[in-house]
Amino acid sequence: MDKVVTDSRDESHTDFIYCCRAITEVLKFGSCQLHSGHKVLFLLIPGNPGVVGFYKTFMQTLHRMFGYRHPVWAVSHAGHCAPPDSMDMVEDASSAAEGDVFGLNGQIEHKLAFLRRHVPRDTSLVLVGHSIGCYIILDMMKRNPELKIIKSIMLFPTIERMAQTPQGKVMTPVLCRLRYLVYLPLFLLSLLPDGLKAGLVRLVFGGISSLDHTVVQPTVGLLSGDCAANAVYMGGQEMRKVLERDNITIKKNLEKLIFYYGATDHWCPVGYYHDMKQDFPQGDFRLCENGFRHAFVLDAGREVATLVFEWMSGGSGNMSSPSIYSSAVGHELSASRTHAGFTSDLMDLN
């Protein structure tokens, strides 16, 4: 029987750290520590729930397609991961509460703090946001215009009028007015053995024919302790605070932004895509033609990573130049063009 040969460079590394005094999971492909020799870091800011394990296939594919040249990291939202036995959810409860680190503003400051502490200032960034992660990236660009950002890739962006979307109209009463009722079933689920939780997760996802099974274990982790409750709390703030689109920041950074909208996204209707194109005719706005769901990680992680690779290397879409990298890193990045066939996975909150 033939042995399946796996490349060790496809293996990931996970760190648990305190950032803004809250437990944070960092998923890494490639170098685990950055130094001045690393010119470029791909950093993923997740949706909500901000569980980095959901993005494993997406990140692994992106890392591989760029020829393993550039580290690909994802930083979880504060408190959206189950801490290891040696750590608690928060390092200092009073400080975490004072900064509202689990709220939307706290999560934005959390990402900026992560960059300050763990990424050298001379590192160029390719930021990849999903859903509310796109809103967080725009706010990061506004709060710290000195960040060395090459590109920000906005996947299924929830950056405006969330409560007015079809899904928002359903979820706003639940997340804002019935939040404490949601906590009870979440608490009861957290008491179940992990094996039973995994069975329930597979049952819920049973209708997805090409489910990426790497999302099962992260979902089980989400149902442990206070992780899901923290995600619900953050979701309630999203409904209240994600209102008007930040046109000033978008205009100021338009050449650095690529937006990818879903054709059937109940968190971000197609009308939002058309509004953006009308308001910013020179921008790079793309509408999904592949039927990918908002939670693309469930079954299309590889395919979406392939699209991102093509956009960045000038392989498709409306890019007129052979590469969209800055001159400082363009030659190095565009040197790697390893195409492969793919089929993959993701999840359906925001």
Side-chain angles (χ1 to χ4, degrees), residues 134-135 138-139 141-142 154 159-161 242-255 257 259 261 272-281 283 285:
C134 302
Y135 179 91
L138 282 179
D139 226 294
M141 297 173 86
K142 178 171 69 174
M154 309 298 217
I159 59 172
E160 59 176 308
R161 298 172 286 167
V242 181
L243 303 171
E244 297 305 312
R245 191 203 312 144
D246 185 357
N247 288 337
I248 294 174
T249 300
I250 292 171
K251 182 178 181 180
K252 192 177 294 184
N253 297 279
L254 193 60
E255 76 287 349
L257 299 169
F259 288 86
Y261 286 84
Y272 289 10
Y273 160 77
H274 291 299
D275 291 344
M276 283 283 273
K277 287 201 67 165
Q278 182 175 340
D279 293 344
F280 299 98
F285 307 105

Side-chain angles (χ1 to χ4, degrees), residues 24-341:
T24 304
E25 183 177 0
V26 186
L27 180 62
K28 301 177 178 180
F29 285 88
S31 300
C32 295
Q33 298 292 330
L34 298 179
H35 50 77
S36 57
H38 289 111
K39 294 182 179 179
V40 178
L41 170 67
F42 284 75
L43 181 65
L44 186 140
I45 310 297
N48 184 10
V51 178
V52 293
F54 292 153
Y55 298 86
K56 190 170 186 177
T57 296
F58 172 82
M59 295 170 62
Q60 183 185 64
T61 304
L62 202 60
H63 187 228
R64 183 188 304 139
M65 294 200 77
F66 279 105
Y68 307 102
R69 292 171 180 270
H70 312 291
V72 179
W73 291 7
V75 56
S76 77
H77 294 323
H80 287 213
C81 57
D85 292 341
S86 60
M87 302 176 76
D88 296 317
M89 183 62 75
V90 291
E91 187 177 27
D92 182 332
S94 60
S95 296
E98 183 180 342
D100 193 22
V101 67
F102 301 139
L104 184 56
N105 180 69
Q107 297 288 5
I108 297 166
E109 289 298 327
H110 172 264
K111 306 307 175 291
L112 290 169
F114 175 81
L115 286 175
R116 286 194 299 269
R117 296 171 190 172
H118 300 281
V119 178
R121 292 183 63 182
D122 61 349
T123 303
S124 294
L125 299 169
V126 177
L127 300 179
V128 182
H130 174 222
S131 193
I132 195 63
C134 302
Y135 179 91
I136 291 173
I137 286 174
L138 282 179
D139 226 294
M140 291 168 66
M141 297 173 86
K142 178 171 69 174
R143 297 184 191 195
N144 188 358
E146 302 304 313
L147 290 173
K148 291 184 63 177
I149 297 172
I150 301 171
K151 277 287 170 181
S152 291
I153 311 292
M154 309 298 217
L155 302 173
F156 305 92
T158 53
I159 59 172
E160 59 176 308
R161 298 172 286 167
M162 284 187 67
Q164 297 177 32
T165 65
Q167 194 72 6
K169 290 175 181 176
V170 173
M171 295 302 296
T172 296
V174 176
L175 294 171
C176 296
R177 293 189 286 276
L178 303 175
R179 176 161 58 94
Y180 290 100
L181 293 180
V182 176
Y183 288 164
L184 178 59
L186 290 177
F187 171 73
L188 294 176
L189 279 171
S190 73
L191 300 178
L192 297 176
D194 283 354
L196 184 52
K197 287 181 200 167
L200 289 173
V201 170
R202 291 191 182 93
L203 183 64
V204 170
F205 290 155
I208 302 174
S209 58
S210 55
L211 177 70
D212 181 351
H213 291 280
T214 64
V215 304
V216 172
Q217 197 53 47
T219 308
V220 171
L222 177 67
L223 298 175
S224 304
D226 296 325
C227 305
N230 291 337
V232 170
Y233 174 70
M234 178 179 170
Q237 291 203 358
E238 292 171 37
M239 299 304 113
R240 291 190 177 100
K241 295 185 176 183
V242 181
L243 303 171
E244 297 305 312
R245 191 203 312 144
D246 185 357
N247 288 337
I248 294 174
T249 300
I250 292 171
K251 182 178 181 180
K252 192 177 294 184
N253 297 279
L254 193 60
E255 76 287 349
K256 296 180 180 179
L257 299 169
I258 299 176
F259 288 86
Y260 186 64
Y261 286 84
T264 57
D265 189 343
H266 297 303
W267 279 113
C268 190
V270 175
Y272 289 10
Y273 160 77
H274 291 299
D275 291 344
M276 283 283 273
K277 287 201 67 165
Q278 182 175 340
D279 293 344
F280 299 98
Q282 302 304 315
D284 191 344
F285 307 105
R286 300 157 187 261
L287 185 64
C288 176
E289 299 176 348
N290 302 289
F292 298 145
R293 67 182 81 230
H294 182 85
F296 71 93
V297 286
L298 290 177
D299 57 358
R302 286 195 182 103
E303 291 86 347
V304 175
T306 302
L307 287 176
V308 171
F309 169 77
E310 290 173 349
W311 301 337
M312 292 297 296
S313 58
S316 76
N318 61 7
M319 301 293 182
S320 57
S321 60
S323 172
I324 59 176
Y325 293 110
S326 68
S327 57
V329 294
H331 178 73
E332 181 188 357
L333 287 174
S334 59
S336 136
R337 308 257 331 215
T338 15
H339 283 286

